[in-house]
Amino acid sequence: MSDNILEIKTLNVRFGGILAVNDISLDVRRGKIVTLIGANGAGKSTILRSVSGIVKPVHGEILFEGENIMGLTPEQIVKKGITLVPEGRRVFPNLTVLENLKMGAYLRKDDYEKDLSYVYRLFPRLEERSWQSAGTLSGGEQQMLAVGRALMSSPKLIMMDEPSLGLAPLVVRDIFSIIRTINENGITVLLIEQNANMALKTCDYGYVIETGNITMQGEGDKLLNDDRVKEAYLGKSRNG
Amino acid sequence: MKKMMALLLSVVMMMTLLTGCGGAAAGGSGSAGGTLTAYVLAEKGDTYSLGLANNFKTAFEANGGKVIMETFPTNTTNFSDYLQKSLDNKADVIFAPNSTTVAANLLANANDLGIECPIMAGDTWESSVILDAVKGTDLEVYCSTFFDESDSSSPAAKDFVAGFKDWLNNNSEYKDMNGGNDIVAAVSALGFDAYNVALAAIREAANEKGSDLTSIDIANALWGLSIDNAVTGKIQFDQNGDAIKDSAYIKKAGDGAFEFMKVQTSPNNAAQGTPADYGNATGVKLDTANKKIVIGVYEPTSGNNAAGGKQEVLGIYYANSLDDTVKIDGTDYKVELYVSDNGSLEENAVTAASNIVGQGALVSLGSYGSGVSIAAAQTFEDAGIPAIGVSCTNASVTEGHNYYFRTCFLDPFQGSVMAQFAWETVSK
Amino acid sequence: MNITSYLIRGLATGGQFALVAIGYTMVYGILKLINFAHGELFMVSGILMIYIVADLPTLPIGLAICLMAALTVFIGFLIEKFAYSPLRSAPRMSVMISAIGVSYLLQNLVSYITGGLSKQFPDIPVIGESVRFLGIKDKLTVFLSPVIAIVLTVILVQIINHTKFGMAMRAVSKDFETSQLMGIKINRVISITFAIGAFLAATGSVLYFAKNTGINHLSGANPGLKAFIAAVVGGIGSIPGAVVGALIIGVAESLAKAFGLADFSDVISFGLLIIILVVKPTGIFGEKTTEKV
C-alpha cells in the first residue's frame, strides 16, 4: 500500500466532553523511529492509547498496514503486531522478571524462546534477575523489563510512552541506544518523550503537539534546529 | 500506641477466656456425683425459649438435679459444640425449647454425635419438622402440649373427644372447618372449656344478682370460679387471671406421628386470685327485653392463624350446641354466639373487639394468638366486658389487664412440666 | 472436657468457611470488591442441592452434586455479568451497594421459593456417614472438611502460581490496563475468578450442609460473615491467608464454646479481627500495598 505502517487520520478523542485530541493526523513510516514531543497533557499519551485500543476515540481513522483498527479490542490490536510500553513502566511487581516477559508473549501460540534469548541479549541484566520479582528491580531495570516485555509479543510497531521518565541520565542514554538497536532490527518505533533533545536526536521524523493539535512536523535534526522548538522544548528539557 | 491497644485487647480476651475456663472446670467436677444432670439449651433473646428453659432449670434443680444451661445466638446452625457439652457432662436429659428451624439442625447434630439421652422441648416441637428430623434415627424426642385426644385418664376428656368427633362427622361444614378430618385439636378442647367457664361465671353472677347482673358481675364471678371437671384439667384463675394449670400432655415423636405418652403434672403453687378492683365501672347490662345473652367470639377465621382460630371456634360452637340456655330469675335466656374475625392481624384487633362490644356481649372468648389478644384488651376493658383467652400463652395477655383471663397454661409452665417429666423418666 | 472434639469440629467449620473465604479473597484480589453476595451464593447452592435431589430423585447423588456445582458457578457468573460488570468503571462504593443488593435479592428469592421455611439438606453418602475417629463420633464431613479445604487450596495455589492463566490472574489483580496491553481479556479472567469462587463455595456448601442440614434463606449470612472475617484476618487477597484465617476463626469459636463462652463466640471472631487490624492491618498473610492514586 504505502510505506506508512501506521496512519492516523483526523483523530478526535474526548474525555467527558473535554477535547483531548483534536483532528490529529500523522503517519509513521515503516522501519523508522517517529517521535511525538509536546508538553504534559498535550494529548500524546492519548494518541498512543487510542492506537492500543484502550481509549475509544470519537471519530477518525487509525490505519495499521492499511487496515482500520479503530474499534478493535486491545488484544486484537496486540495480535496485529502493535505493542505499547506504557508510561511509568507498569511492570507487574508481583510477577517474576521471567513471568513478566512471558506475559508479553501471552497471546503467542508459537515458540517464543528465540525472542526470549533476544531480549536477554539486549538486556543481560534481566536474565541475571529472571527469578526475582519485578517489584524489586530498580527503575532503569524496570524500564528494560517493560521494553523487553513489549518485544516478547514480536511486534511490528512498538510504541513507547516516556521511556526516559524518572531515570538517571546514564540510564536514559542506555535506553535510547536500545531503542535504536531495536529499530535497526526492523521494528518501527513510535516514541513519546518530554526529553525532546534526546528524542529528536534519535528519531527520523518528529511531530510537535500542543493542546491536542499538531503544530509542527519534520525530520528530527530539522526540528532540533528550529528556533521555536528550541525555545519551547529544548531549553526546558535541559533545565528539567 | 497501636501495639498498646492490641496488648490491652488480648489481655481482656485472655481474662475472659480464663474466667470461662474456671467456670467450666468447676462445672465438670460436679457431674461426678450420682445426681441427675440436665443440659438446657435456649436461644438468646427468645422470650419463649428462655422462659421455658429457666422454668425447667428451677424445677429440675428443685428436685435435686444439676442443670447446665447455655444460650446460643440467633441464626446458629451448628449445635455440635453445644451438644458435645452434654456428652462431656454425661447429661441424662437435654431440654431444648426452641423453634423448629433450630430443632431441624439440632436434632441432626444430636444424631451425628450419637446422643442417646432423651431430648425434650415445648409445644412448638409438635410439628412435622420434628417428625422429619427424627425419622430414621434413634433419637428419643418429647414435647409438651395443651391437650391430646388419646388422653383417656379423665372422663370429661373422653366424653368430649367422643362427642366432638361425632358432632364433626355429622356436620360436614364443621368438619371442613376442622381441616376435613375429625382429629381433635388441643385448641378445640381449650375453646370448649372457655365457653363452659364463661357460662359457669354467668350462672354464678345470676345466682347473686338475678336479672340485674352486668358484665362486671361476671368478671367478679370468674375470680371465684373453680371447675374440676374441665376437659383440659381443673380450672381456677390466679391473681393474674391465668388458669392455674398443673398438667400438660407429653407426646413422643415417633415414626411419622406423635404418640401420646401421658398427662404430666407438675405442682403449680399459684393461689386462686381475689377479684380485681373494678371501681365503679358499669359494664354491660343483661338484655332482659330480648331474653338473650350474647357471647363474643373474638378469633381469627382468616389470615395466618385462621386454621387454629377456626378449630378454637369449633370447640366453642360444640360447647354451645350442648348447653345454650341459662335460667335467670326463672326465665330462660338463650345464649347466642357472635363471631368477630380479627384476621390474625393486630391492626384489626380494635375494630373486631368493638364489633363484639357493639353487639352487647356480656363476655368475650379468644383469641388464638397472643398479639391480637393484647391489642384488644383495652377495648374490652373500656366496655367492662371480661375476656377469656383460649390459647394465647404470652404472659402480657393477662398482666395488667384485669378483664383478661385465660384457660390455657403460659409458655414457661411447660418448662416446669417438662422438668418434672424428665425427672420421672430418667430417674427410673 | 474433651478438647480434641472441639478442636476437630473447629477445624471442620474452619475448613468449610475457608472454601467460602477463598471466594471473597480472590474477588477482592482482582476487583478490590467485597462480594457481599458470596455468602448468599453459598446458601443458594445448598438450596439448589435440595431442589435437585427432590426434583430428580433418580439422579445419582454424585451427579446431583456436579449439577449443583455447575448451576452455582453459572449463578456466580451471572451475578458478575449483571451486577458488577456494568459498573466496572463506577466508584467502588456503587459496586459494593450492588453487591449488597444482590445479596438481598438472593435471600428474598429463596425465601419466596421456600416460603421462608427451613428445608432439609439431602443425605449425602460417604461424607454423611457417622464415624468414630479419635474417640469422637460425628459425620465424616467433619473430619474431612479441613483436609478437603487444604487440598483444594494447594491445587488452586499451584494453578495460580504455575499456569499461564494463573499468571494472567496475578497480572490482572495488579494492573487492569497493562494486562489488557498484554492481550489479556480482563472480563474473562474476572468471570473465571467468580467461577472458581462459586465452585469452592459449592464444595463448601456440600461439606457444611451435610453437617448442618437445615437450610433457610438466612443460612448464608453467618458463614458468609465469618468467611469474610477470616479472609480479612488472613490478609484479604491472599489465598493461603484466607484458609489460615478461617481455620483460626473456626477453632477459636469452637474453643469459646468449650470454655462456656458461646455467648462471646462472635465477639471472639471480631476481637481477633480488631487485633489483627491493629497489629498488622494487612492481615496475617497480607502484603504491603502502596496504592497508586
Side-chain angles (χ1 to χ4, degrees), chain B residues 116-371:
Chain B
E116 286 163 358
C117 71
I119 302 173
M120 303 181 178
D123 58 312
T124 51
W125 278 26
E126 193 187 358
S127 149
S128 59
V129 175
I130 305 302
L131 293 176
D132 289 347
V134 170
K135 203 171 211 159
T137 69
D138 296 328
L139 294 175
E140 205 182 327
V141 175
Y142 299 95
C143 62
S144 60
T145 182
F146 304 109
F147 178 74
D148 188 88
E149 65 173 34
S150 321
D151 172 27
S152 51
S153 57
S154 99
K158 222 153 94 188
D159 289 351
F160 166 73
V161 170
F164 188 61
K165 275 183 190 289
D166 209 37
W167 180 76
L168 281 179
N169 288 323
N170 287 324
N171 293 283
S172 60
E173 185 197 342
Y174 297 146
K175 198 170 174 179
D176 287 346
M177 261 175 88
N178 197 41
N181 56 48
D182 66 351
I183 296 171
V184 183
V187 289
S188 300
L190 289 170
F192 182 84
D193 280 352
Y195 176 86
N196 287 327
V197 165
L199 240 57
I202 293 169
R203 289 192 173 114
E204 185 61 38
N207 278 345
E208 288 205 7
K209 297 285 177 92
S211 53
D212 292 336
L213 77 90
T214 66
S215 56
I216 302 292
D217 300 320
I218 299 172
N220 279 319
L222 279 166
W223 292 105
L225 219 57
S226 180
I227 297 177
D228 291 332
N229 58 350
V231 173
T232 59
K234 182 179 167 173
I235 295 177
Q236 267 187 344
F237 296 105
D238 69 8
Q239 200 54 61
N240 279 327
D242 299 327
I244 304 168
K245 290 278 182 174
D246 64 353
S247 59
Y249 294 74
I250 309 290
K251 293 187 179 189
K252 183 181 180 191
D255 188 17
F258 283 94
E259 289 167 49
F260 171 68
M261 298 303 290
K262 65 182 285 197
V263 177
Q264 177 66 46
T265 54
S266 166
N268 187 337
N269 298 327
Q272 188 164 25
T274 48
D277 177 13
Y278 292 118
N280 44 18
T282 49
V284 180
K285 286 194 168 63
L286 181 68
D287 184 356
T288 46
N290 296 313
K291 307 267 181 286
K292 67 169 187 180
I293 294 169
V294 176
I295 292 183
V297 180
Y298 173 69
E299 290 287 352
T301 52
S302 65
N304 284 338
N305 291 333
K310 284 178 184 165
Q311 287 175 327
E312 232 166 81
V313 173
L314 284 175
I316 296 167
Y317 276 174
Y318 175 59
N320 180 248
S321 76
L322 297 182
D323 182 2
D324 68 348
T325 38
V326 178
K327 200 182 265 299
I328 300 173
D329 282 353
T331 314
D332 275 348
Y333 281 76
K334 189 147 173 58
V335 179
E336 286 177 11
L337 297 176
Y338 174 74
V339 180
S340 182
D341 178 17
N342 59 38
S344 317
L345 295 171
E346 283 166 37
E347 59 257 40
N348 292 349
V350 172
T351 319
S354 301
N355 286 342
I356 289 174
V357 173
Q359 290 293 319
L362 289 178
V363 55
S364 176
L365 307 178
S367 170
Y368 183 100
S370 299

Side-chain angles (χ1 to χ4, degrees), chain C residues 31-274:
Chain C
L31 285 183
K32 304 289 172 281
L33 158 73
I34 306 295
N35 179 14
F36 281 111
H38 196 58
E40 266 57 51
L41 187 64
F42 172 80
M43 172 273 296
V44 166
S45 74
I47 293 282
L48 279 175
M49 187 70 194
I50 291 172
Y51 281 94
I52 288 171
V53 170
D55 293 343
L56 305 168
T58 51
L59 196 69
I61 204 89
L63 285 180
I65 292 176
C66 292
L67 178 60
M68 178 276 271
L71 284 173
T72 308
V73 165
F74 183 62
I75 294 172
F77 171 80
L78 286 184
I79 291 174
E80 199 280 318
K81 266 284 153 298
F82 289 102
Y84 305 149
S85 182
L87 297 172
R88 197 74 86 223
S89 51
R92 240 183 255 172
M93 184 61 83
S94 315
V95 193
M96 205 165 91
I97 290 167
S98 182
I100 294 172
V102 172
S103 135
Y104 277 108
L105 175 74
L106 292 178
Q107 267 188 23
N108 291 359
L109 267 179
V110 169
S111 114
Y112 172 74
I113 290 165
T114 61
L117 289 176
S118 179
K119 297 264 170 190
Q120 280 296 305
F121 199 69
D123 286 331
I124 307 292
V126 188
I127 62 164
E129 305 291 334
S130 249
V131 292
R132 191 173 280 279
F133 180 64
L134 295 174
I136 299 149
K137 186 166 179 285
D138 213 324
K139 280 185 176 156
L140 187 60
T141 177
V142 170
F143 304 102
L144 274 187
S145 291
V147 180
I148 291 177
I150 288 168
V151 168
L152 286 177
T153 309
V154 169
I155 293 173
L156 182 62
V157 169
Q158 291 307 311
I159 289 174
I160 287 173
N161 283 340
H162 298 295
T163 65
K164 193 171 163 187
F165 174 74
M167 205 161 76
M169 247 173 93
R170 281 181 289 146
V172 171
S173 78
K174 279 293 170 208
D175 193 334
F176 267 30
E177 195 175 294
T178 313
S179 303
Q180 274 182 303
L181 288 175
M182 301 297 113
I184 298 171
K185 289 182 186 138
I186 304 285
N187 285 333
R188 217 176 75 180
V189 172
I190 293 171
S191 291
I192 294 178
T193 305
F194 271 85
I196 294 175
F199 171 75
L200 293 175
T203 314
S205 92
V206 174
L207 294 173
Y208 180 84
F209 291 120
K211 168 71 188 159
N212 311 299
T213 52
I215 312 180
N216 66 10
H217 57 290
L218 296 174
S219 298
N222 188 46
L225 182 64
K226 293 293 156 60
F228 168 60
I229 296 176
V232 176
V233 165
I236 192 136
S238 156
I239 290 169
V243 176
V244 170
L247 293 177
I248 291 176
I249 297 271
V251 170
E253 292 205 351
S254 206
L255 286 182
K257 288 173 194 155
F259 292 120
L261 291 177
D263 290 4
F264 298 101
S265 66
D266 285 352
V267 177
I268 286 169
S269 299
F270 282 102
L272 214 61
L273 178 69
I274 294 169

Side-chain angles (χ1 to χ4, degrees), chain B residues 44 63 89 118 179 279 298 308 318:
Chain B
K44 249 189 258 303
N63 276 323
N89 290 291
Y298 173 69
Y318 175 59

